[in-house]
Amino acid sequence: MNRVFVTAVVKNVPLEEYGRYLPPMKARRFGKLQKRALVTALKAMEISGIAQPDAILNGTAMGCMENSVQILESMLKEGEAVSMPTCFMQSTHNTVASLIAIYTQNHGYNTTYAHRGISFACALHDAFMQMRMGRIRTALVCENDEITRYQENNLQLFGKIAPEDKSEAWMLSVDPGEHPLYELLDVRIIHQKGAEDRAVILKNLL
Amino acid sequence: MRPRVVITGMGVVSALGVGQAAQVKSLMQGASGIGEVRYLPTQHREFPVGEVSLSHDEMLEMLQIHDDQRYSRTSLLGMIALREALAQARLLDREDLAFISGTTVGGMDVTEQHFPEPLPSGMRDVHDCGANTNGIADYFGCFDYTSTVSTACSSAMNALITAKWLIESGERDIVVAGGSEALSLFHLNGFKSLMILDQERCRPFDKMRAGLNLGEGAAYLVLEREETALARQADILGVLSGVGNACDAYHQTASSENGEGGYRAMMKALEDAGIDRSRIDYVNAHGTATPNNDMTESAALRRVFGEKLPSVSSTKSYTGHTTSASGSIEAVFCLLALQNGFLPFQWEFQNPDASCIIPVSGFQCPRAELHHVMCNSFGFGGNDSSIILSRYE
């Protein structure tokens, strides 16, 4: 069994840094969540020195809410005459992991978990198992969510998971490199009827 | 040596009906389930759909649900399919199973009925993907691990792939995986916006094809470590012998011209199964009947198999595109074909297209002894996956 190391953890990339990872000309095409997710991923790749991980995984509780809510609002106004191809294309939960792959031309394993509060742990668990078994050697595991103004006022409709604007990216490698941050020891997911799912991420600070 | 992952139960609901027997009957007769919309409250009656012929109340009755909670159609379809799978595998009394479900729209049918008003107080939330997975799981109470994969139209197949990791890594002996997705106005109007819905019954790989028909349904497979299955004397229905997942990395909704993502997914599945491409007897293609998918998937198939292309067909001509559930519904079709010795055929196929493969067609269902079959499932974002299912020998 391979050991699994975390070689970069990136979150809350300040806006001033965006230009360094994403040229403004290219950034224009992307929504807020997409930009934030992309620069967070690109920074993790830069810090770890791994530009082409074997896998890209994302965890998201609610997916691309801005685009989804826009479609719902338009359907309310225009009924079924609505036509919003771009919003629809970018409304699926896997938009972010795909965008990172498209932007970096990465043809590796690519998947997305959308399992409420433990979506990131589900993604981490997938990467961890594959790395332990030697199926892959490196993986970028991200967590991305956005909360729209609409949702804040309507938690009862969209659920009480209450995600926040959040982007985080971890680079995992079976090779500790020079400056590993943690060794990932285990990921456990616990489901109990009637309770929120729990996840335990066991890691050793190095 | 990796443990073998075998299948000991399956359950399915689609436009062809409820349960395995209904699917086999229609597939062998060449009888499509695609027709006029009946339950989805849409004005777009010009688009045929692969709708499950059950109302919300009929499903509640089937499941004997009598509480006053709201249930999404995705959840109810999922429960009906999961019940068949757990019953066949004789696992309904267990409490230590893992469940991985794929969905994208989740409870959008409920959300769009209420929007912009909140759900009435006292009701549990049903919008997000994970809520649907847990709703399905908790109807049975058999699960202490649940997870949701959401990679658009390849969600259910990627759930099967995650399940394989859980068993091979030794973490779990039994994992139930697949997907569920209901029709919603959100989805129908979304696909309509992309202008890829055919106003006639969809025609995969046909020169005249003009897009897909949206469908709905659910299917789950009980995946199990071979030793565990043998020890509890379960009936073994087949083997999940290979899986492959790759990203096309080209465009959010269009596939690259040479089908790079699909090609890589199929090659990975063959490598994982450790079998030569010449041993694949049948491919259940993603075959949505959009001009782009069928052309690029054909290019990928030709790259993988060269001159010696196995029999290929798309069963979306029977069910419509069941989106997030398609990967597991079509995996069940593959297993049914393996068990019953037939090739799913496209009864209505008429016009070969030079840029596409020619699917299995004709007026009679071809009988065939199958050993290894491949099943493709591709999604938005270029999330392409392929699995190989084999006869248990």
Side-chain angles (χ1 to χ4, degrees):
Chain A
M1 287 280 194
N2 287 321
R3 293 169 70 185
V4 179
F5 300 93
V6 181
T7 61
V9 172
V10 173
K11 56 183 160 188
N12 306 326
V13 179
L15 275 172
E16 319 70 91
E17 276 185 37
Y18 277 31
R20 177 167 167 194
Y21 299 100
L22 193 59
M25 283 296 283
K26 286 187 176 172
R28 280 192 319 187
R29 286 185 287 146
F30 306 129
K32 214 169 77 179
L33 169 69
Q34 293 174 309
K35 266 186 270 198
R36 175 155 50 77
L38 201 49
V39 296
T40 309
L42 293 169
K43 189 171 177 179
M45 290 175 175
E46 184 194 59
I47 291 172
S48 61
I50 297 168
Q52 284 291 337
D54 293 340
I56 295 172
L57 303 95
N58 188 37
T60 177
M62 301 296 283
C64 299
M65 282 308 288
E66 194 74 52
N67 287 323
S68 303
V69 169
Q70 268 188 48
I71 294 173
L72 285 168
E73 283 180 331
S74 298
M75 274 175 38
L76 201 63
K77 278 187 226 133
E78 303 166 40
E80 289 190 84
V82 66
S83 184
M84 305 184 82
T86 310
C87 272
F88 183 65
M89 273 190 252
Q90 298 178 356
S91 70
T92 54
H93 296 66
N94 61 337
T95 304
V96 164
S98 304
L99 173 69
I100 298 168
I102 293 168
Y103 193 83
T104 59
Q105 284 297 292
N106 187 305
H107 292 289
Y109 183 89
N110 192 293
T111 199
T112 299
Y113 289 86
H115 197 66
R116 301 177 68 89
I118 62 160
S119 304
F120 175 71
C122 291
L124 199 63
H125 192 201
D126 179 341
F128 179 71
M129 287 188 289
Q130 289 195 67
M131 294 175 84
R132 296 269 286 180
M133 292 190 284
R135 283 184 172 269
I136 54 171
R137 297 183 59 80
T138 53
L140 177 74
V141 186
C142 310
E143 177 173 27
N144 287 285
D145 262 299
E146 62 181 342
I147 182 157
T148 60
R149 198 157 37 97
Y150 187 86
Q151 260 168 290
E152 279 176 340
N153 301 327
N154 294 273
L155 285 179
Q156 186 61 28
L157 181 57
F158 288 107
K160 298 175 192 113
I161 323 169
E164 47 186 340
D165 275 338
K166 184 172 189 188
S167 287
E168 186 164 337
W170 290 22
M171 187 64 81
L172 309 185
S173 173
V174 294
D175 175 3
E178 281 175 28
H179 308 287
L181 301 170
Y182 309 104
E183 179 175 357
L184 194 57
L185 301 172
D186 203 0
V187 182
R188 288 181 200 148
I189 286 165
I190 305 131
H191 174 76
Q192 256 183 315
K193 190 173 172 172
E196 280 298 322
D197 292 337
R198 285 171 293 144
V200 182
I201 297 167
L202 284 176
K203 57 188 195 302
N204 245 352
L205 193 61
L206 297 174
Chain B
M1 184 75 180
R2 286 184 192 138
R4 272 218 288 193
V5 176
V6 299
I7 293 124
T8 57
M10 50 190 181
V12 58
V13 53
S14 78
L16 300 182
V18 178
Q20 296 170 38
Q23 321 293 317
V24 172
K25 190 166 168 239
S26 297
L27 289 170
M28 292 189 76
Q29 286 176 346
S32 173
I34 296 167
E36 212 175 298
V37 67
R38 201 167 144 199
Y39 301 103
L40 182 73
T42 179
Q43 294 166 358
H44 293 298
R45 310 194 67 81
E46 68 275 26
F47 298 122
V49 289
E51 203 172 31
V52 172
S53 292
L54 288 169
S55 70
H56 190 85
D57 288 344
E58 283 168 339
M59 287 197 278
L60 288 176
E61 194 49 48
M62 275 180 80
L63 293 159
Q64 297 188 307
I65 293 175
H66 302 299
D67 61 42
D68 53 6
Q69 287 289 337
R70 282 308 304 263
Y71 290 88
S72 71
R73 195 167 167 87
T74 296
S75 295
L76 296 173
L77 292 169
M79 291 171 196
I80 291 170
L82 184 52
R83 185 166 68 175
E84 185 188 12
L86 289 171
Q88 185 176 24
R90 289 182 280 113
L91 291 169
L92 277 161
D93 57 347
R94 295 279 288 259
E95 294 177 356
D96 58 346
L97 309 178
F99 182 52
I100 307 176
S101 189
T103 191
T104 297
V105 295
M108 191 61 95
D109 62 321
V110 175
T111 309
E112 68 194 13
Q113 281 166 29
H114 288 272
F115 189 88
E117 303 300 324
L119 284 183
S121 65
M123 285 200 179
R124 61 186 168 76
D125 49 88
V126 293
H127 170 81
D128 69 280
C129 299
N132 282 271
T133 300
N134 286 348
I136 296 167
D138 291 345
Y139 173 75
F140 299 93
C142 296
F143 303 98
D144 65 2
Y145 177 118
T146 58
S147 175
T148 309
V149 176
S150 193
T151 57
C153 298
S154 55
S155 300
M157 187 167 284
N158 282 324
L160 296 173
I161 294 178
T162 308
K164 192 164 185 266
W165 307 154
L166 274 164
I167 294 170
E168 282 182 355
S169 67
E171 293 206 18
R172 290 275 163 172
D173 291 331
I174 305 176
V175 184
V176 187
S180 179
E181 193 121 292
L183 287 170
S184 63
L185 296 176
F186 183 94
H187 230 175
L188 187 76
N189 284 283
F191 278 96
K192 186 203 69 176
S193 302
L194 301 182
M195 297 192 284
I196 51 172
L197 291 178
D198 196 340
Q199 297 199 10
E200 291 179 43
R201 214 181 268 173
C202 72
R203 294 155 282 179
F205 302 109
D206 193 296
K207 200 174 174 61
M208 306 304 286
R209 70 189 182 280
L212 58 86
N213 305 137
L214 213 50
E216 65 179 353
Y220 292 101
L221 278 69
V222 178
L223 304 171
E224 188 163 356
R225 176 189 309 278
E226 185 184 16
E227 296 90 281
T228 318
L230 290 172
R232 64 178 194 93
Q233 295 181 309
D235 290 330
I236 297 180
L237 313 173
V239 183
L240 176 59
S241 43
V243 300
N245 161 314
C247 190
D248 199 40
Y250 174 73
H251 185 267
Q252 284 292 356
T253 50
S255 308
S256 61
E257 207 166 312
N258 65 353
E260 187 64 23
Y263 167 77
R264 286 178 185 248
M266 288 186 265
M267 293 302 282
K268 277 188 181 178
L270 284 167
E271 193 196 333
D272 186 35
I275 61 170
D276 188 78
R277 60 189 177 164
S278 64
R279 293 178 64 198
I280 298 292
D281 301 310
Y282 165 68
V283 181
N284 185 298
H286 186 56
T288 56
T290 64
N292 178 250
N293 177 82
D294 292 6
M295 187 187 73
T296 57
E297 186 175 9
S298 294
L301 282 163
R302 284 172 173 155
R303 285 173 73 194
V304 172
F305 293 101
E307 293 300 307
K308 290 186 183 140
L309 212 60
S311 299
V312 182
S313 70
S314 166
T315 47
K316 291 195 171 63
S317 52
Y318 291 82
T319 59
H321 187 359
T322 57
T323 55
S324 286
S326 64
S328 55
I329 288 177
E330 289 160 27
V332 168
F333 291 174
C334 287
L335 286 159
L336 292 172
L338 274 169
Q339 278 184 334
N340 294 282
F342 72 93
L343 287 172
F345 69 117
Q346 293 179 220
W347 193 85
E348 289 171 320
F349 181 80
Q350 284 179 340
N351 310 293
D353 178 345
S355 64
C356 288
I357 58 92
I358 296 175
V360 183
S361 59
F363 298 105
Q364 222 176 5
C365 180
R367 307 296 306 207
E369 195 185 299
L370 307 173
H371 294 272
H372 300 283
V373 302
M374 178 181 264
C375 187
N376 287 344
S377 188
F378 304 161
F380 277 9
N383 275 161
D384 298 343
S385 290
S386 180
I387 60 173
I388 295 168
L389 295 154
S390 308
R391 183 194 292 249
Y392 182 67
E393 299 174 303

